[in-house]
mmCIF file of all heavy atoms in Angstrom:
data_model
loop_
_atom_site.group_PDB
_atom_site.id
_atom_site.type_symbol
_atom_site.label_atom_id
_atom_site.label_comp_id
_atom_site.label_asym_id
_atom_site.label_seq_id
_atom_site.Cartn_x
_atom_site.Cartn_y
_atom_site.Cartn_z
ATOM 1 N N PRO V 287 21.394 -1.198 -6.550
ATOM 2 C CA PRO V 287 21.341 0.269 -6.581
ATOM 3 C C PRO V 287 20.106 0.804 -7.302
ATOM 4 O O PRO V 287 19.523 1.802 -6.882
ATOM 5 C CB PRO V 287 22.636 0.634 -7.320
ATOM 6 C CG PRO V 287 23.583 -0.482 -7.011
ATOM 7 C CD PRO V 287 22.730 -1.722 -6.967
ATOM 8 N N ALA V 288 19.692 0.128 -8.396
ATOM 9 C CA ALA V 288 18.497 0.580 -9.123
ATOM 10 C C ALA V 288 17.265 0.447 -8.239
ATOM 11 O O ALA V 288 16.372 1.308 -8.255
ATOM 12 C CB ALA V 288 18.332 -0.234 -10.409
ATOM 13 N N GLN V 289 17.202 -0.626 -7.463
ATOM 14 C CA GLN V 289 16.072 -0.806 -6.560
ATOM 15 C C GLN V 289 16.073 0.246 -5.457
ATOM 16 O O GLN V 289 15.022 0.775 -5.089
ATOM 17 C CB GLN V 289 16.133 -2.195 -5.933
ATOM 18 C CG GLN V 289 15.691 -3.305 -6.856
ATOM 19 C CD GLN V 289 15.782 -4.634 -6.140
ATOM 20 O OE1 GLN V 289 16.862 -5.114 -5.851
ATOM 21 N NE2 GLN V 289 14.643 -5.204 -5.837
ATOM 22 N N GLU V 290 17.236 0.525 -4.921
ATOM 23 C CA GLU V 290 17.323 1.540 -3.876
ATOM 24 C C GLU V 290 16.822 2.886 -4.382
ATOM 25 O O GLU V 290 16.130 3.618 -3.672
ATOM 26 C CB GLU V 290 18.769 1.664 -3.377
ATOM 27 C CG GLU V 290 19.307 0.423 -2.675
ATOM 28 C CD GLU V 290 18.698 0.214 -1.308
ATOM 29 O OE1 GLU V 290 17.873 1.030 -0.871
ATOM 30 O OE2 GLU V 290 19.053 -0.794 -0.656
ATOM 31 N N ALA V 291 17.157 3.215 -5.643
ATOM 32 C CA ALA V 291 16.695 4.474 -6.229
ATOM 33 C C ALA V 291 15.181 4.466 -6.391
ATOM 34 O O ALA V 291 14.504 5.472 -6.114
ATOM 35 C CB ALA V 291 17.373 4.709 -7.574
ATOM 36 N N ALA V 292 14.628 3.333 -6.851
ATOM 37 C CA ALA V 292 13.178 3.228 -7.017
ATOM 38 C C ALA V 292 12.472 3.322 -5.671
ATOM 39 O O ALA V 292 11.426 3.974 -5.547
ATOM 40 C CB ALA V 292 12.826 1.918 -7.714
ATOM 41 N N LEU V 293 13.030 2.687 -4.650
ATOM 42 C CA LEU V 293 12.437 2.742 -3.325
ATOM 43 C C LEU V 293 12.467 4.153 -2.753
ATOM 44 O O LEU V 293 11.516 4.598 -2.107
ATOM 45 C CB LEU V 293 13.173 1.784 -2.386
ATOM 46 C CG LEU V 293 12.895 0.298 -2.591
ATOM 47 C CD1 LEU V 293 13.791 -0.536 -1.686
ATOM 48 C CD2 LEU V 293 11.443 -0.026 -2.324
ATOM 49 N N LEU V 294 13.560 4.871 -2.992
ATOM 50 C CA LEU V 294 13.654 6.246 -2.517
ATOM 51 C C LEU V 294 12.607 7.119 -3.196
ATOM 52 O O LEU V 294 11.961 7.955 -2.562
ATOM 53 C CB LEU V 294 15.062 6.801 -2.780
ATOM 54 C CG LEU V 294 15.296 8.243 -2.335
ATOM 55 C CD1 LEU V 294 15.104 8.392 -0.830
ATOM 56 C CD2 LEU V 294 16.705 8.710 -2.729
ATOM 57 N N ARG V 295 12.423 6.897 -4.517
ATOM 58 C CA ARG V 295 11.405 7.663 -5.252
ATOM 59 C C ARG V 295 10.010 7.355 -4.718
ATOM 60 O O ARG V 295 9.186 8.261 -4.524
ATOM 61 C CB ARG V 295 11.499 7.325 -6.741
ATOM 62 C CG ARG V 295 10.469 8.038 -7.611
ATOM 63 C CD ARG V 295 10.898 8.058 -9.077
ATOM 64 N NE ARG V 295 10.953 6.725 -9.663
ATOM 65 C CZ ARG V 295 9.973 6.192 -10.391
ATOM 66 N NH1 ARG V 295 8.868 6.883 -10.603
ATOM 67 N NH2 ARG V 295 10.105 4.997 -10.923
ATOM 68 N N LEU V 296 9.735 6.079 -4.465
ATOM 69 C CA LEU V 296 8.427 5.688 -3.952
ATOM 70 C C LEU V 296 8.203 6.250 -2.550
ATOM 71 O O LEU V 296 7.148 6.816 -2.250
ATOM 72 C CB LEU V 296 8.319 4.166 -3.933
ATOM 73 C CG LEU V 296 7.029 3.584 -3.361
ATOM 74 C CD1 LEU V 296 5.839 3.985 -4.213
ATOM 75 C CD2 LEU V 296 7.122 2.070 -3.250
ATOM 76 N N GLU V 297 9.200 6.098 -1.694
ATOM 77 C CA GLU V 297 9.073 6.586 -0.323
ATOM 78 C C GLU V 297 8.869 8.095 -0.279
ATOM 79 O O GLU V 297 8.045 8.608 0.493
ATOM 80 C CB GLU V 297 10.316 6.200 0.468
ATOM 81 C CG GLU V 297 10.258 6.595 1.929
ATOM 82 C CD GLU V 297 11.516 6.203 2.681
ATOM 83 O OE1 GLU V 297 12.515 6.951 2.575
ATOM 84 O OE2 GLU V 297 11.515 5.168 3.341
ATOM 85 N N THR V 298 9.605 8.820 -1.125
ATOM 86 C CA THR V 298 9.472 10.274 -1.154
ATOM 87 C C THR V 298 8.096 10.694 -1.647
ATOM 88 O O THR V 298 7.459 11.585 -1.068
ATOM 89 C CB THR V 298 10.561 10.889 -2.051
ATOM 90 O OG1 THR V 298 11.854 10.534 -1.546
ATOM 91 C CG2 THR V 298 10.443 12.405 -2.088
ATOM 92 N N THR V 299 7.607 10.041 -2.712
ATOM 93 C CA THR V 299 6.292 10.402 -3.252
ATOM 94 C C THR V 299 5.189 10.083 -2.254
ATOM 95 O O THR V 299 4.249 10.872 -2.073
ATOM 96 C CB THR V 299 6.032 9.678 -4.583
ATOM 97 O OG1 THR V 299 7.105 9.939 -5.486
ATOM 98 C CG2 THR V 299 4.738 10.169 -5.214
ATOM 99 N N LEU V 300 5.277 8.924 -1.589
ATOM 100 C CA LEU V 300 4.276 8.593 -0.570
ATOM 101 C C LEU V 300 4.284 9.626 0.556
ATOM 102 O O LEU V 300 3.228 10.030 1.050
ATOM 103 C CB LEU V 300 4.545 7.204 0.001
ATOM 104 C CG LEU V 300 4.100 6.004 -0.833
ATOM 105 C CD1 LEU V 300 4.539 4.709 -0.172
ATOM 106 C CD2 LEU V 300 2.594 6.009 -1.043
ATOM 107 N N ALA V 301 5.479 10.059 0.958
ATOM 108 C CA ALA V 301 5.567 11.078 2.010
ATOM 109 C C ALA V 301 4.944 12.383 1.538
ATOM 110 O O ALA V 301 4.256 13.060 2.313
ATOM 111 C CB ALA V 301 7.027 11.293 2.405
ATOM 112 N N LEU V 302 5.167 12.745 0.279
ATOM 113 C CA LEU V 302 4.594 13.988 -0.251
ATOM 114 C C LEU V 302 3.075 13.906 -0.321
ATOM 115 O O LEU V 302 2.371 14.883 -0.032
ATOM 116 C CB LEU V 302 5.183 14.290 -1.625
ATOM 117 C CG LEU V 302 6.669 14.665 -1.638
ATOM 118 C CD1 LEU V 302 7.182 14.752 -3.071
ATOM 119 C CD2 LEU V 302 6.909 15.985 -0.904
ATOM 120 N N VAL V 303 2.545 12.754 -0.735
ATOM 121 C CA VAL V 303 1.094 12.574 -0.779
ATOM 122 C C VAL V 303 0.506 12.697 0.619
ATOM 123 O O VAL V 303 -0.442 13.462 0.850
ATOM 124 C CB VAL V 303 0.736 11.206 -1.395
ATOM 125 C CG1 VAL V 303 -0.754 10.892 -1.190
ATOM 126 C CG2 VAL V 303 1.069 11.174 -2.880
ATOM 127 N N GLU V 304 1.084 11.943 1.563
ATOM 128 C CA GLU V 304 0.558 11.965 2.920
ATOM 129 C C GLU V 304 0.762 13.327 3.591
ATOM 130 O O GLU V 304 -0.088 13.788 4.361
ATOM 131 C CB GLU V 304 1.219 10.861 3.748
ATOM 132 C CG GLU V 304 0.860 9.461 3.304
ATOM 133 C CD GLU V 304 -0.614 9.173 3.511
ATOM 134 O OE1 GLU V 304 -1.012 8.799 4.616
ATOM 135 O OE2 GLU V 304 -1.381 9.349 2.533
ATOM 136 N N GLY V 305 1.900 13.960 3.296
ATOM 137 C CA GLY V 305 2.152 15.278 3.864
ATOM 138 C C GLY V 305 1.185 16.328 3.339
ATOM 139 O O GLY V 305 0.729 17.201 4.088
ATOM 140 N N TRP V 306 0.859 16.238 2.038
ATOM 141 C CA TRP V 306 -0.112 17.177 1.455
ATOM 142 C C TRP V 306 -1.486 16.971 2.078
ATOM 143 O O TRP V 306 -2.169 17.940 2.438
ATOM 144 C CB TRP V 306 -0.168 16.980 -0.062
ATOM 145 C CG TRP V 306 -1.073 17.943 -0.765
ATOM 146 C CD1 TRP V 306 -0.753 19.195 -1.236
ATOM 147 C CD2 TRP V 306 -2.453 17.748 -1.084
ATOM 148 N NE1 TRP V 306 -1.848 19.786 -1.831
ATOM 149 C CE2 TRP V 306 -2.912 18.913 -1.756
ATOM 150 C CE3 TRP V 306 -3.343 16.704 -0.890
ATOM 151 C CZ2 TRP V 306 -4.214 19.055 -2.217
ATOM 152 C CZ3 TRP V 306 -4.652 16.836 -1.340
ATOM 153 C CH2 TRP V 306 -5.080 18.001 -2.002
ATOM 154 N N VAL V 307 -1.904 15.716 2.221
ATOM 155 C CA VAL V 307 -3.193 15.426 2.847
ATOM 156 C C VAL V 307 -3.204 15.943 4.280
ATOM 157 O O VAL V 307 -4.179 16.561 4.732
ATOM 158 C CB VAL V 307 -3.479 13.907 2.801
ATOM 159 C CG1 VAL V 307 -4.664 13.546 3.698
ATOM 160 C CG2 VAL V 307 -3.742 13.460 1.372
ATOM 161 N N ASP V 308 -2.131 15.715 5.012
ATOM 162 C CA ASP V 308 -2.020 16.174 6.390
ATOM 163 C C ASP V 308 -2.149 17.690 6.478
ATOM 164 O O ASP V 308 -2.865 18.226 7.333
ATOM 165 C CB ASP V 308 -0.666 15.723 6.952
ATOM 166 C CG ASP V 308 -0.540 15.955 8.448
ATOM 167 O OD1 ASP V 308 -1.188 15.240 9.216
ATOM 168 O OD2 ASP V 308 0.227 16.867 8.849
#
Side-chain angles (χ1 to χ4, degrees):
Q289 283 180 291
E290 295 288 359
L293 286 174
L294 180 61
R295 179 160 65 97
L296 177 64
E297 183 180 81
T298 301
T299 306
L300 281 176
L302 292 172
V303 169
E304 293 295 276
W306 183 87
V307 168
D308 189 72

